Amino acid sequence: MKALRVLLVVTSLAIGVDIGVAAEPPKPVLLQGHSKAVSTIAWAADRKTVATAGEDRTIRVWDPVTGKQLSIVENIARVGYGAPVVAFTADLKIVAIHYWDKLTIRTVADDKTLVTFDPILDRGQKSAFRPDVYAMAFSPDGKRLATAGSVAAVGGRHGLPGGVVRVWDVENGKIIHQSDKLSTAASSVVWSADGKMVVAGTSGAGGELQESGEVWVWDAETWKVLHNFAVKPKTKYGEWVSAADVALSPDSTRVAVPLTAGSRGTPAGLIIEDTGASVDVWALGTGKQTHPVKGLKASLTRLAFSPDGKSLAAAGRDKKVRVWDAESGKEQLALDCGDFVTEVAFSPDGQSMAAGSNGGSVQIWAVPASK
């Protein structure tokens, strides 16, 4: 998975305009510290701090109002290709770090290792591609960790094992659940806000092995599959339709997927010919699919619902962070970042938005209040 470049985080003072009304965005707060690609942004539940992690093998904690760096944890993974996969608990006190062959769960304040284990399990299996972990997420209570990855890069009808999602007990590193029937590599995983569901998206495949990405939804207690669907039932030769990033609405009723020609989460980090993107939304209760955002000129790398579920924000290769009405698709904001944007995340209160870019700057914008 190709490493993301340096992160841009954006937090500022709330502004008194209605979302959707054109206004000059306020000056963002600039954060500086990471020397290489940053792949993760996490807001503390109380909104008082923001944590970032990246290819420079550091974790940094920031004051999102002043932009001051509050702490740093160095050497979180050995030097090598790509960035570590990192996930934080909601209070930013515990962090999970995966790089190649090892997953550690540590404290952020003093970098104390709590648990170390191998998340691959079937490392000795013969396959055409190396197993790996591409995404992780803690449950809301911090007691479980979901890992999304592969036992090979392609699967399903291609005759090779594909994606796998595992859930671990954070205290002892024991596996709680495993779903290994995913057709291609699982490149994204999220928990519902109440911890009752787990949602994962797969990368799909292109070229001669074209296969659409899929969305999987499980009950987090029984591990029954609640929903499973391809994001595009039919793909043509050379097309790569990925579900490598998924966003779940705060009320757990909708799943949004940026449909792109190659994306952030493809196992080899490939971006094939960039033919643009759209955003599709599925109502989990009815299965109804809508297409609120169409005709984008460049692919998207990250998608997020606002805390009230009314808006969708996306980071894109067109060097912008965009916010749309989640129902109508009407564009509410378009913020120019000056470089390929890799990450976007709303603060828990929805008043600020964090975004990461290729260029190394770190900024924070206020989000105008929605009606």
Side-chain angles (χ1 to χ4, degrees):
M1 198 168 55
K2 186 175 181 180
L4 302 172
R5 296 295 172 197
V6 178
L7 178 68
L8 159 82
V9 191
V10 227
T11 305
S12 69
L13 308 172
I15 54 178
V17 295
D18 289 332
I19 197 164
V21 178
E24 191 70 24
K27 249 189 169 179
V29 175
L30 182 65
L31 312 182
Q32 294 178 310
H34 284 288
S35 62
K36 293 184 179 179
V38 177
S39 56
T40 305
I41 307 172
W43 289 84
D46 62 7
R47 192 186 175 273
K48 293 181 179 179
T49 52
V50 170
T52 63
E55 192 180 352
D56 63 358
R57 274 66 181 160
T58 69
I59 289 171
R60 298 169 191 266
V61 180
W62 313 83
D63 182 321
V65 176
T66 66
K68 180 182 178 181
Q69 182 175 294
L70 303 177
S71 63
I72 180 173
V73 180
E74 299 180 290
N75 303 317
I76 64 172
R78 64 179 176 83
V79 176
Y81 172 77
V85 180
V86 177
F88 295 92
T89 54
D91 58 8
L92 302 187
K93 292 183 178 180
I94 303 296
V95 61
I97 303 165
H98 173 265
Y99 187 71
W100 287 75
D101 60 348
K102 185 170 70 173
L103 195 155
T104 58
I105 296 175
R106 314 182 195 180
T107 57
V108 175
D110 56 7
D111 195 29
K112 179 182 178 181
T113 298
L114 303 176
V115 182
T116 300
F117 58 95
D118 182 348
I120 303 300
L121 297 181
D122 45 13
R123 192 174 300 283
Q125 179 176 318
K126 292 181 179 179
S127 63
F129 298 91
R130 179 188 170 279
D132 210 341
V133 168
Y134 305 117
M136 301 191 297
F138 279 98
S139 59
D141 62 7
K143 294 181 179 180
R144 293 174 289 176
L145 177 72
T147 61
S150 68
V151 290
V154 293
R157 66 178 183 270
H158 309 309
L160 295 171
V164 59
V165 171
R166 296 185 174 106
V167 179
W168 309 82
D169 185 306
V170 170
E171 185 176 353
N172 56 31
K174 292 183 178 180
I175 192 168
I176 296 171
H177 169 73
Q178 174 172 304
S179 292
D180 57 1
K181 304 301 182 184
L182 286 66
S183 61
T184 53
S187 299
S188 57
V189 63
V190 297
W191 293 78
S192 61
D194 59 9
K196 294 182 178 180
M197 293 195 310
V198 173
V199 181
T202 68
S203 294
E208 295 179 354
L209 303 177
Q210 70 266 23
E211 184 170 342
S212 174
E214 295 179 329
V215 172
W216 290 74
V217 184
W218 296 273
D219 182 300
E221 294 300 326
T222 65
W223 297 108
K224 176 183 177 183
V225 176
L226 301 177
H227 308 278
N228 170 225
F229 53 88
V231 295
K232 188 174 182 181
K234 292 184 179 181
T235 57
K236 57 187 179 182
Y237 179 82
E239 184 179 23
W240 195 321
V241 181
S242 172
D245 191 54
V246 296
L248 181 64
S249 63
D251 62 3
S252 305
T253 62
R254 293 165 293 159
V255 170
V257 178
L259 304 185
T260 68
S263 76
R264 171 188 62 80
T266 55
L270 301 175
I271 296 293
I272 59 176
E273 181 184 1
D274 194 345
T275 57
S278 62
V279 177
D280 281 14
V281 177
W282 284 263
L284 294 180
T286 65
K288 182 181 178 181
Q289 180 182 5
T290 58
H291 317 277
V293 179
K294 303 176 185 178
L296 299 177
K297 303 299 183 184
S299 58
L300 302 177
T301 55
R302 179 69 80 179
L303 194 66
F305 274 99
S306 60
D308 63 8
K310 295 180 180 180
S311 300
L312 278 168
R317 294 184 66 85
D318 61 356
K319 303 181 181 181
K320 294 182 183 297
V321 173
R322 299 179 186 275
V323 181
W324 302 280
D325 181 284
E327 294 293 335
S328 69
K330 181 180 179 181
E331 187 173 280
Q332 300 169 332
L333 289 173
L335 301 169
D336 192 349
C337 298
D339 205 344
F340 164 28
V341 187
T342 57
E343 293 282 328
V344 65
F346 284 97
S347 60
D349 60 7
Q351 294 182 9
S352 301
M353 186 170 58
S357 84
N358 234 11
S361 45
V362 179
Q363 305 173 342
I364 298 184
W365 292 281
V367 177
S370 59
K371 290 183 178 181

